[in-house]
């Protein structure tokens, strides 16, 4: 059964109350008042939506400006860290003691200072630092005599046949942390597992720091190895710094994890590799804030900050829009009431004029009829 509308309300035949109700509901004044209220509410909603979009656009621009500033600081830190590798390698320039360019204590102090950059806990500092010196084949006998044991022999007495790099052996003469000394000092760097001899040679030949893709270190830890050349001419070597991914992720984490996501992708090769990623903030569309590609150890890394559509719109200030909606509702209701009152008053005046006119016409007609009869 259909619902009973106001026009179908049961009532006594000919009752004045029912008739008045029908007339009130169907009156032009009420219809016009409702239409005016609806139009004003729609206009208010459109203006409010426009204001919200404008606030969201301004907020996104603010997000982008902050992200660009943070990205510049991050890239500056990364470039400074890479530069520090070359600076650290320069510690060994012009040191003609090929078997121990620094005392163990001095090296440990320098390496500790070198590894303590950034804002992370000690466990995430570069995990391994090795310093090598080039020993040409004709120098091997004299070098081994000065060093005290054959190249390829560690302090633990383990011997591994050394492999040459760029026509020379590269025994490890210093290692950090101190726990690495017994494992690596004396071994040929070229014979260490996962040491890229080609990249190491390229670093020495070019005089530039080189970096591997993300790969495993000797102990199976995932990270990146940087090769920084030492010296020039015949007095050369290399500083190998292995940096775990955990360290880089800590350095590259978002400055505002609840609202901004950071990503770092190695785009050097045909297949990009994610060096650092963070999960998406939500399921809404991704909004890119700032991005840049810079060379890191002769590889190309793309740094990016992004947020989401929902984060921007939920962060936008709603106070002005909510106030507008409240005022718009009140104004719409007031306008509707005013229109109803004005139209009702006009209709009443019109009905009164018509009533007066009909009374006057009836009186005149009655008078003429009396005159005619008489």
């Amino acid at each position: 059964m259909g619902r009973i509308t106001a026009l179908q309300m049961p009532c006594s035949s000919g009752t004045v109350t029912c008739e008045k109700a029908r007339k009130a509901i169907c009156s032009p004044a009420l219809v016009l008042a409702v239409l005016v209220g609806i139009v004003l509410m729609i206009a208010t909603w459109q203006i409010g939506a426009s204001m919200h979009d404008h606030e969201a656009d301004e907020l996104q621009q603010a997000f982008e400006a902050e992200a660009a500033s943070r990205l510049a600081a991050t890239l500056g830190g990364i470039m400074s860290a890479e530069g520090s590798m070359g600076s650290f390698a320069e510690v060994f320039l012009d040191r003609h003691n090929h078997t121990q360019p620094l005392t163990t204590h001095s090296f440990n102090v320098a390496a500790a200072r070198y590894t303590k950059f950034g804002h992370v806990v000690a466990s995430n500092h570069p995990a391994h630092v090795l310093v090598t010196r080039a020993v040409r084949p004709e120098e091997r006998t004299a070098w081994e005599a000065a060093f005290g044991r054959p190249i390829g022999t560690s302090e633990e007495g383990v011997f591994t046949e050394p492999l040459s790099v760029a026509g020379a052996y590269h025994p490890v003469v210093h290692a950090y942390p101190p726990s690495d000394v017994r494992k690596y000092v004396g071994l040929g760097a070229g014979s260490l597992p996962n040491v890229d001899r080609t990249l190491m040679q390229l670093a020495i030949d070019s005089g530039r720091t080189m970096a591997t893709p993300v790969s495993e270190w000797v102990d199976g830890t995932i990270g990146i190895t940087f090769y920084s050349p030492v010296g020039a001419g015949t007095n050369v070597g290399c500083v190998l710094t292995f940096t775990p991914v955990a360290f880089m992720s800590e350095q590259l984490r978002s400055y505002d994890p609840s609202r901004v996501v950071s990503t770092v992708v190695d785009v050097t090769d045909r297949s990009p590799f994610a060096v650092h990623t963070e999960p998406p903030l939500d399921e809404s569309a991704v909004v890119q804030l700032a991005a840049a590609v810079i060379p890191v150890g002769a590889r190309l890394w793309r740094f990016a900050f992004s947020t989401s559509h929902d984060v921007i719109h939920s962060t936008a200030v709603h106070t002005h829009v909510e106030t507008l909606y409240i005022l718009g509702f009140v104004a719409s209701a007031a306008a509707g009431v005013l229109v109803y009152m004005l139209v009702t008053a006009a209709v009443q005046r019109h009905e009164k004029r018509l009533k007066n006119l009909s009374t006057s016409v009836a009186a005149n007609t009655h008078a003429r009829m009396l005159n005619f009869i008489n």
Side-chain angles (χ1 to χ4, degrees):
M1 294 178 64
R3 285 191 310 175
I4 298 175
T5 65
L7 296 178
Q8 298 170 326
M9 289 186 298
C11 58
S12 303
S13 176
T15 59
V16 177
T17 303
C18 193
E19 186 64 26
K20 285 184 177 180
R22 290 195 183 97
K23 286 184 177 180
I25 293 173
C26 297
S27 66
L30 182 59
V31 172
L32 184 58
V34 171
L35 287 176
V36 169
I38 291 174
V39 170
L40 288 176
M41 287 183 179
I42 292 174
T44 300
W45 178 81
Q46 290 178 333
I47 295 172
S50 177
M51 287 179 61
H52 178 72
D53 290 341
H54 180 68
E55 289 181 358
D57 290 341
E58 289 185 340
L59 183 63
Q60 181 173 338
Q61 292 175 6
F63 267 50
E64 290 172 351
E66 183 179 15
S69 175
R70 297 283 186 166
L71 181 62
T74 299
L75 298 185
I78 294 296
M79 295 176 69
S80 175
E82 182 184 358
S84 72
M85 295 176 184
S87 300
F88 181 72
E90 290 177 4
V91 171
F92 303 95
L93 290 175
D94 299 326
R95 295 184 182 273
H96 298 286
N97 184 344
H98 284 207
T99 59
Q100 194 178 48
L102 288 174
T103 65
T104 299
H105 173 72
S106 298
F107 172 76
N108 287 341
V109 171
R113 290 176 179 173
Y114 164 61
T115 57
K116 289 181 180 178
F117 62 88
H119 57 269
V120 300
V121 296
S123 61
N124 281 341
H125 285 161
H128 303 280
V129 179
L130 305 179
V131 179
T132 75
R133 296 306 299 252
V135 178
R136 294 187 298 275
E138 62 271 21
E139 301 172 326
R140 180 173 181 176
T141 301
W143 191 92
E144 290 178 339
F147 188 69
R149 60 180 183 273
I151 296 175
T153 306
S154 69
E155 287 189 6
E156 296 175 341
V158 177
F159 177 79
T160 304
E161 184 64 36
L163 300 176
S164 65
V165 177
Y169 301 106
H170 275 265
V172 176
V173 295
H174 281 301
Y176 185 85
S179 58
D180 281 355
V181 172
R182 290 182 57 81
K183 288 190 292 185
Y184 298 121
V185 171
L187 295 181
S191 61
L192 292 175
N194 306 107
V195 168
D196 191 326
R197 288 187 294 156
T198 301
L199 202 60
M200 182 175 168
Q201 178 178 341
L202 184 60
I204 294 171
D205 292 344
S206 66
R208 299 169 53 201
T209 297
M210 297 289 169
T212 65
V214 175
S215 55
E216 288 187 1
W217 181 248
V218 178
D219 60 1
T221 306
I222 300 298
I224 294 175
T225 303
F226 294 88
Y227 300 89
S228 300
V230 173
T234 58
N235 184 24
V236 299
C238 193
V239 174
L240 285 69
T241 304
F242 174 77
T243 306
V245 170
F247 169 79
M248 290 181 288
S249 295
E250 195 72 15
Q251 291 288 311
L252 302 173
R253 69 178 186 270
S254 171
Y255 58 89
D256 189 356
S258 64
R259 300 192 304 170
V260 178
V261 169
S262 66
T263 57
V264 181
V265 179
D266 186 338
V267 296
T268 310
D269 303 322
R270 185 171 299 177
S271 300
F273 185 89
V275 177
H276 167 76
T277 59
E278 293 177 347
L281 298 169
D282 49 54
E283 296 181 354
S284 63
V286 174
V287 178
Q288 295 294 337
L289 298 176
V293 176
I294 66 167
V296 177
R299 298 191 68 80
L300 295 177
W301 286 9
R302 183 180 186 275
F303 296 77
F305 288 125
S306 63
T307 185
S308 73
H309 177 275
D310 285 356
V311 167
I312 289 179
H313 282 264
S314 63
T315 308
V317 179
H318 298 288
T319 306
H320 301 309
V321 177
E322 291 173 353
T323 302
L324 175 67
Y325 286 151
I326 293 173
L327 294 176
F329 175 79
V330 173
S332 300
V337 172
L338 180 61
V339 168
Y340 178 79
M341 292 173 63
L342 291 175
V343 173
T344 300
V347 170
Q348 289 175 347
R349 286 196 301 271
H350 181 65
E351 289 177 347
K352 186 176 181 180
R353 283 198 299 269
L354 289 178
K355 185 176 180 180
N356 291 338
L357 179 61
S358 63
T359 301
S360 175
V361 170
N364 290 335
T365 302
H366 181 67
R368 288 195 188 99
M369 289 179 65
L370 289 177
N371 293 332
F372 178 76
I373 293 173
N374 293 331

